mmCIF file with all atom_site columns, all heavy atoms in Angstrom:
data_model
loop_
_atom_site.group_PDB
_atom_site.id
_atom_site.type_symbol
_atom_site.label_atom_id
_atom_site.label_alt_id
_atom_site.label_comp_id
_atom_site.label_asym_id
_atom_site.label_entity_id
_atom_site.label_seq_id
_atom_site.pdbx_PDB_ins_code
_atom_site.Cartn_x
_atom_site.Cartn_y
_atom_site.Cartn_z
_atom_site.occupancy
_atom_site.B_iso_or_equiv
_atom_site.pdbx_formal_charge
_atom_site.auth_seq_id
_atom_site.auth_comp_id
_atom_site.auth_asym_id
_atom_site.auth_atom_id
_atom_site.pdbx_PDB_model_num
ATOM 1   N N   . MET A 1 298 ? 27.239 -7.902  -9.144  1.00 0.00 ? 298 MET A N   1
ATOM 2   C CA  . MET A 1 298 ? 26.648 -9.297  -9.450  1.00 0.00 ? 298 MET A CA  1
ATOM 3   C C   . MET A 1 298 ? 26.393 -9.544  -10.914 1.00 0.00 ? 298 MET A C   1
ATOM 4   O O   . MET A 1 298 ? 26.666 -10.671 -11.358 1.00 0.00 ? 298 MET A O   1
ATOM 5   C CB  . MET A 1 298 ? 25.389 -9.425  -8.600  1.00 0.00 ? 298 MET A CB  1
ATOM 6   C CG  . MET A 1 298 ? 25.606 -9.503  -7.055  1.00 0.00 ? 298 MET A CG  1
ATOM 7   S SD  . MET A 1 298 ? 24.178 -9.796  -6.016  1.00 0.00 ? 298 MET A SD  1
ATOM 8   C CE  . MET A 1 298 ? 23.581 -11.357 -6.694  1.00 0.00 ? 298 MET A CE  1
ATOM 9   N N   . SER A 1 299 ? 25.975 -8.613  -11.611 1.00 0.00 ? 299 SER A N   1
ATOM 10  C CA  . SER A 1 299 ? 25.783 -8.714  -12.924 1.00 0.00 ? 299 SER A CA  1
ATOM 11  C C   . SER A 1 299 ? 27.051 -8.993  -13.799 1.00 0.00 ? 299 SER A C   1
ATOM 12  O O   . SER A 1 299 ? 27.232 -9.910  -14.595 1.00 0.00 ? 299 SER A O   1
ATOM 13  C CB  . SER A 1 299 ? 25.132 -7.386  -13.673 1.00 0.00 ? 299 SER A CB  1
ATOM 14  O OG  . SER A 1 299 ? 23.834 -7.106  -13.031 1.00 0.00 ? 299 SER A OG  1
ATOM 15  N N   . PHE A 1 300 ? 28.107 -8.257  -13.329 1.00 0.00 ? 300 PHE A N   1
ATOM 16  C CA  . PHE A 1 300 ? 29.394 -8.572  -13.964 1.00 0.00 ? 300 PHE A CA  1
ATOM 17  C C   . PHE A 1 300 ? 29.913 -9.966  -13.565 1.00 0.00 ? 300 PHE A C   1
ATOM 18  O O   . PHE A 1 300 ? 30.524 -10.610 -14.595 1.00 0.00 ? 300 PHE A O   1
ATOM 19  C CB  . PHE A 1 300 ? 30.414 -7.533  -13.370 1.00 0.00 ? 300 PHE A CB  1
ATOM 20  C CG  . PHE A 1 300 ? 30.352 -6.092  -14.025 1.00 0.00 ? 300 PHE A CG  1
ATOM 21  C CD1 . PHE A 1 300 ? 30.866 -5.019  -13.293 1.00 0.00 ? 300 PHE A CD1 1
ATOM 22  C CD2 . PHE A 1 300 ? 29.399 -5.809  -15.046 1.00 0.00 ? 300 PHE A CD2 1
ATOM 23  C CE1 . PHE A 1 300 ? 30.666 -3.748  -13.684 1.00 0.00 ? 300 PHE A CE1 1
ATOM 24  C CE2 . PHE A 1 300 ? 29.316 -4.552  -15.533 1.00 0.00 ? 300 PHE A CE2 1
ATOM 25  C CZ  . PHE A 1 300 ? 29.909 -3.518  -14.871 1.00 0.00 ? 300 PHE A CZ  1
ATOM 26  N N   . ILE A 1 301 ? 29.687 -10.333 -12.365 1.00 0.00 ? 301 ILE A N   1
ATOM 27  C CA  . ILE A 1 301 ? 30.094 -11.612 -12.015 1.00 0.00 ? 301 ILE A CA  1
ATOM 28  C C   . ILE A 1 301 ? 29.432 -12.766 -12.875 1.00 0.00 ? 301 ILE A C   1
ATOM 29  O O   . ILE A 1 301 ? 30.058 -13.828 -13.254 1.00 0.00 ? 301 ILE A O   1
ATOM 30  C CB  . ILE A 1 301 ? 29.826 -11.924 -10.467 1.00 0.00 ? 301 ILE A CB  1
ATOM 31  C CG1 . ILE A 1 301 ? 30.870 -11.078 -9.684  1.00 0.00 ? 301 ILE A CG1 1
ATOM 32  C CG2 . ILE A 1 301 ? 30.093 -13.359 -10.137 1.00 0.00 ? 301 ILE A CG2 1
ATOM 33  C CD1 . ILE A 1 301 ? 30.582 -10.970 -8.255  1.00 0.00 ? 301 ILE A CD1 1
ATOM 34  N N   . ILE A 1 302 ? 28.110 -12.653 -12.870 1.00 0.00 ? 302 ILE A N   1
ATOM 35  C CA  . ILE A 1 302 ? 27.317 -13.607 -13.802 1.00 0.00 ? 302 ILE A CA  1
ATOM 36  C C   . ILE A 1 302 ? 27.925 -13.709 -15.134 1.00 0.00 ? 302 ILE A C   1
ATOM 37  O O   . ILE A 1 302 ? 28.098 -14.800 -15.817 1.00 0.00 ? 302 ILE A O   1
ATOM 38  C CB  . ILE A 1 302 ? 25.850 -13.222 -13.807 1.00 0.00 ? 302 ILE A CB  1
ATOM 39  C CG1 . ILE A 1 302 ? 25.218 -13.427 -12.431 1.00 0.00 ? 302 ILE A CG1 1
ATOM 40  C CG2 . ILE A 1 302 ? 25.140 -14.094 -14.819 1.00 0.00 ? 302 ILE A CG2 1
ATOM 41  C CD1 . ILE A 1 302 ? 25.156 -14.882 -11.912 1.00 0.00 ? 302 ILE A CD1 1
ATOM 42  N N   . ILE A 1 303 ? 28.161 -12.528 -15.812 1.00 0.00 ? 303 ILE A N   1
ATOM 43  C CA  . ILE A 1 303 ? 28.741 -12.490 -17.157 1.00 0.00 ? 303 ILE A CA  1
ATOM 44  C C   . ILE A 1 303 ? 30.158 -13.225 -17.252 1.00 0.00 ? 303 ILE A C   1
ATOM 45  O O   . ILE A 1 303 ? 30.464 -13.922 -18.089 1.00 0.00 ? 303 ILE A O   1
ATOM 46  C CB  . ILE A 1 303 ? 28.853 -11.041 -17.735 1.00 0.00 ? 303 ILE A CB  1
ATOM 47  C CG1 . ILE A 1 303 ? 27.480 -10.477 -17.782 1.00 0.00 ? 303 ILE A CG1 1
ATOM 48  C CG2 . ILE A 1 303 ? 29.555 -11.019 -18.916 1.00 0.00 ? 303 ILE A CG2 1
ATOM 49  C CD1 . ILE A 1 303 ? 27.434 -8.999  -18.160 1.00 0.00 ? 303 ILE A CD1 1
ATOM 50  N N   . GLN A 1 304 ? 30.914 -12.996 -16.220 1.00 0.00 ? 304 GLN A N   1
ATOM 51  C CA  . GLN A 1 304 ? 32.164 -13.596 -16.084 1.00 0.00 ? 304 GLN A CA  1
ATOM 52  C C   . GLN A 1 304 ? 32.186 -15.129 -16.057 1.00 0.00 ? 304 GLN A C   1
ATOM 53  O O   . GLN A 1 304 ? 32.897 -15.961 -16.714 1.00 0.00 ? 304 GLN A O   1
ATOM 54  C CB  . GLN A 1 304 ? 32.987 -13.060 -14.960 1.00 0.00 ? 304 GLN A CB  1
ATOM 55  C CG  . GLN A 1 304 ? 33.531 -11.677 -15.086 1.00 0.00 ? 304 GLN A CG  1
ATOM 56  C CD  . GLN A 1 304 ? 34.601 -11.501 -16.263 1.00 0.00 ? 304 GLN A CD  1
ATOM 57  O OE1 . GLN A 1 304 ? 34.226 -11.170 -17.350 1.00 0.00 ? 304 GLN A OE1 1
ATOM 58  N NE2 . GLN A 1 304 ? 35.787 -11.986 -15.974 1.00 0.00 ? 304 GLN A NE2 1
ATOM 59  N N   . ILE A 1 305 ? 31.233 -15.688 -15.181 1.00 0.00 ? 305 ILE A N   1
ATOM 60  C CA  . ILE A 1 305 ? 30.927 -17.029 -15.071 1.00 0.00 ? 305 ILE A CA  1
ATOM 61  C C   . ILE A 1 305 ? 30.462 -17.563 -16.355 1.00 0.00 ? 305 ILE A C   1
ATOM 62  O O   . ILE A 1 305 ? 30.891 -18.606 -16.885 1.00 0.00 ? 305 ILE A O   1
ATOM 63  C CB  . ILE A 1 305 ? 29.875 -17.250 -13.942 1.00 0.00 ? 305 ILE A CB  1
ATOM 64  C CG1 . ILE A 1 305 ? 30.433 -16.859 -12.584 1.00 0.00 ? 305 ILE A CG1 1
ATOM 65  C CG2 . ILE A 1 305 ? 29.438 -18.701 -13.930 1.00 0.00 ? 305 ILE A CG2 1
ATOM 66  C CD1 . ILE A 1 305 ? 29.353 -16.985 -11.517 1.00 0.00 ? 305 ILE A CD1 1
ATOM 67  N N   . PHE A 1 306 ? 29.628 -16.849 -17.101 1.00 0.00 ? 306 PHE A N   1
ATOM 68  C CA  . PHE A 1 306 ? 28.932 -17.284 -18.385 1.00 0.00 ? 306 PHE A CA  1
ATOM 69  C C   . PHE A 1 306 ? 30.110 -17.374 -19.363 1.00 0.00 ? 306 PHE A C   1
ATOM 70  O O   . PHE A 1 306 ? 30.095 -18.202 -20.419 1.00 0.00 ? 306 PHE A O   1
ATOM 71  C CB  . PHE A 1 306 ? 27.864 -16.341 -18.745 1.00 0.00 ? 306 PHE A CB  1
ATOM 72  C CG  . PHE A 1 306 ? 27.084 -16.721 -20.000 1.00 0.00 ? 306 PHE A CG  1
ATOM 73  C CD1 . PHE A 1 306 ? 26.191 -17.784 -19.950 1.00 0.00 ? 306 PHE A CD1 1
ATOM 74  C CD2 . PHE A 1 306 ? 27.367 -16.205 -21.267 1.00 0.00 ? 306 PHE A CD2 1
ATOM 75  C CE1 . PHE A 1 306 ? 25.485 -18.155 -21.003 1.00 0.00 ? 306 PHE A CE1 1
ATOM 76  C CE2 . PHE A 1 306 ? 26.683 -16.623 -22.295 1.00 0.00 ? 306 PHE A CE2 1
ATOM 77  C CZ  . PHE A 1 306 ? 25.677 -17.664 -22.128 1.00 0.00 ? 306 PHE A CZ  1
ATOM 78  N N   . SER A 1 307 ? 31.164 -16.545 -19.319 1.00 0.00 ? 307 SER A N   1
ATOM 79  C CA  . SER A 1 307 ? 32.222 -16.483 -20.298 1.00 0.00 ? 307 SER A CA  1
ATOM 80  C C   . SER A 1 307 ? 33.147 -17.814 -20.155 1.00 0.00 ? 307 SER A C   1
ATOM 81  O O   . SER A 1 307 ? 33.847 -18.118 -21.127 1.00 0.00 ? 307 SER A O   1
ATOM 82  C CB  . SER A 1 307 ? 33.030 -15.248 -20.220 1.00 0.00 ? 307 SER A CB  1
ATOM 83  O OG  . SER A 1 307 ? 33.795 -15.224 -18.992 1.00 0.00 ? 307 SER A OG  1
ATOM 84  N N   . ASN A 1 308 ? 33.044 -18.368 -19.152 1.00 0.00 ? 308 ASN A N   1
ATOM 85  C CA  . ASN A 1 308 ? 33.748 -19.660 -18.845 1.00 0.00 ? 308 ASN A CA  1
ATOM 86  C C   . ASN A 1 308 ? 32.962 -20.802 -19.232 1.00 0.00 ? 308 ASN A C   1
ATOM 87  O O   . ASN A 1 308 ? 31.877 -21.014 -18.649 1.00 0.00 ? 308 ASN A O   1
ATOM 88  C CB  . ASN A 1 308 ? 34.232 -19.724 -17.371 1.00 0.00 ? 308 ASN A CB  1
ATOM 89  C CG  . ASN A 1 308 ? 35.139 -20.842 -17.033 1.00 0.00 ? 308 ASN A CG  1
ATOM 90  O OD1 . ASN A 1 308 ? 35.165 -21.940 -17.770 1.00 0.00 ? 308 ASN A OD1 1
ATOM 91  N ND2 . ASN A 1 308 ? 35.878 -20.772 -15.945 1.00 0.00 ? 308 ASN A ND2 1
ATOM 92  N N   . LYS A 1 309 ? 33.376 -21.689 -20.193 1.00 0.00 ? 309 LYS A N   1
ATOM 93  C CA  . LYS A 1 309 ? 32.579 -22.767 -20.680 1.00 0.00 ? 309 LYS A CA  1
ATOM 94  C C   . LYS A 1 309 ? 32.062 -23.704 -19.581 1.00 0.00 ? 309 LYS A C   1
ATOM 95  O O   . LYS A 1 309 ? 31.057 -24.238 -19.585 1.00 0.00 ? 309 LYS A O   1
ATOM 96  C CB  . LYS A 1 309 ? 33.356 -23.557 -21.681 1.00 0.00 ? 309 LYS A CB  1
ATOM 97  C CG  . LYS A 1 309 ? 33.522 -22.690 -22.987 1.00 0.00 ? 309 LYS A CG  1
ATOM 98  C CD  . LYS A 1 309 ? 34.264 -23.501 -23.997 1.00 0.00 ? 309 LYS A CD  1
ATOM 99  C CE  . LYS A 1 309 ? 34.404 -22.742 -25.270 1.00 0.00 ? 309 LYS A CE  1
ATOM 100 N NZ  . LYS A 1 309 ? 35.187 -23.570 -26.421 1.00 0.00 ? 309 LYS A NZ  1
ATOM 101 N N   . ARG A 1 310 ? 32.862 -23.866 -18.440 1.00 0.00 ? 310 ARG A N   1
ATOM 102 C CA  . ARG A 1 310 ? 32.694 -24.726 -17.335 1.00 0.00 ? 310 ARG A CA  1
ATOM 103 C C   . ARG A 1 310 ? 31.567 -24.129 -16.573 1.00 0.00 ? 310 ARG A C   1
ATOM 104 O O   . ARG A 1 310 ? 30.878 -24.824 -15.812 1.00 0.00 ? 310 ARG A O   1
ATOM 105 C CB  . ARG A 1 310 ? 33.851 -24.965 -16.507 1.00 0.00 ? 310 ARG A CB  1
ATOM 106 C CG  . ARG A 1 310 ? 35.004 -25.798 -17.150 1.00 0.00 ? 310 ARG A CG  1
ATOM 107 C CD  . ARG A 1 310 ? 36.203 -25.892 -16.335 1.00 0.00 ? 310 ARG A CD  1
ATOM 108 N NE  . ARG A 1 310 ? 36.853 -24.506 -16.248 1.00 0.00 ? 310 ARG A NE  1
ATOM 109 C CZ  . ARG A 1 310 ? 37.909 -24.322 -15.458 1.00 0.00 ? 310 ARG A CZ  1
ATOM 110 N NH1 . ARG A 1 310 ? 38.458 -25.281 -14.848 1.00 0.00 ? 310 ARG A NH1 1
ATOM 111 N NH2 . ARG A 1 310 ? 38.461 -23.100 -15.466 1.00 0.00 ? 310 ARG A NH2 1
ATOM 112 N N   . GLY A 1 311 ? 31.303 -22.756 -16.774 1.00 0.00 ? 311 GLY A N   1
ATOM 113 C CA  . GLY A 1 311 ? 30.315 -22.181 -15.925 1.00 0.00 ? 311 GLY A CA  1
ATOM 114 C C   . GLY A 1 311 ? 29.035 -21.908 -16.648 1.00 0.00 ? 311 GLY A C   1
ATOM 115 O O   . GLY A 1 311 ? 28.004 -21.233 -16.108 1.00 0.00 ? 311 GLY A O   1
ATOM 116 N N   . VAL A 1 312 ? 28.923 -22.497 -17.976 1.00 0.00 ? 312 VAL A N   1
ATOM 117 C CA  . VAL A 1 312 ? 27.646 -22.171 -18.737 1.00 0.00 ? 312 VAL A CA  1
ATOM 118 C C   . VAL A 1 312 ? 26.426 -22.760 -17.983 1.00 0.00 ? 312 VAL A C   1
ATOM 119 O O   . VAL A 1 312 ? 25.374 -21.980 -18.000 1.00 0.00 ? 312 VAL A O   1
ATOM 120 C CB  . VAL A 1 312 ? 27.842 -22.874 -20.131 1.00 0.00 ? 312 VAL A CB  1
ATOM 121 C CG1 . VAL A 1 312 ? 26.561 -22.631 -20.942 1.00 0.00 ? 312 VAL A CG1 1
ATOM 122 C CG2 . VAL A 1 312 ? 28.939 -21.977 -20.886 1.00 0.00 ? 312 VAL A CG2 1
ATOM 123 N N   . LEU A 1 313 ? 26.462 -23.923 -17.465 1.00 0.00 ? 313 LEU A N   1
ATOM 124 C CA  . LEU A 1 313 ? 25.322 -24.552 -16.890 1.00 0.00 ? 313 LEU A CA  1
ATOM 125 C C   . LEU A 1 313 ? 24.937 -23.611 -15.729 1.00 0.00 ? 313 LEU A C   1
ATOM 126 O O   . LEU A 1 313 ? 23.740 -23.364 -15.483 1.00 0.00 ? 313 LEU A O   1
ATOM 127 C CB  . LEU A 1 313 ? 25.624 -25.946 -16.464 1.00 0.00 ? 313 LEU A CB  1
ATOM 128 C CG  . LEU A 1 313 ? 24.492 -26.658 -15.845 1.00 0.00 ? 313 LEU A CG  1
ATOM 129 C CD1 . LEU A 1 313 ? 23.284 -26.737 -16.730 1.00 0.00 ? 313 LEU A CD1 1
ATOM 130 C CD2 . LEU A 1 313 ? 24.930 -28.065 -15.365 1.00 0.00 ? 313 LEU A CD2 1
ATOM 131 N N   . LEU A 1 314 ? 25.849 -23.320 -14.853 1.00 0.00 ? 314 LEU A N   1
ATOM 132 C CA  . LEU A 1 314 ? 25.555 -22.563 -13.646 1.00 0.00 ? 314 LEU A CA  1
ATOM 133 C C   . LEU A 1 314 ? 24.846 -21.194 -14.101 1.00 0.00 ? 314 LEU A C   1
ATOM 134 O O   . LEU A 1 314 ? 23.902 -20.711 -13.465 1.00 0.00 ? 314 LEU A O   1
ATOM 135 C CB  . LEU A 1 314 ? 26.860 -22.263 -12.863 1.00 0.00 ? 314 LEU A CB  1
ATOM 136 C CG  . LEU A 1 314 ? 26.760 -21.389 -11.545 1.00 0.00 ? 314 LEU A CG  1
ATOM 137 C CD1 . LEU A 1 314 ? 25.657 -22.038 -10.646 1.00 0.00 ? 314 LEU A CD1 1
ATOM 138 C CD2 . LEU A 1 314 ? 28.073 -21.302 -10.862 1.00 0.00 ? 314 LEU A CD2 1
#
Side-chain angles (χ1 to χ4, degrees):
M298 288 182 63
S299 300
F300 289 165
I301 289 169
I302 291 293
I303 294 173
Q304 286 295 98
I305 295 173
F306 190 76
S307 66
N308 187 334
K309 291 182 180 179
R310 290 173 297 178
V312 171
L313 180 61
L314 177 61

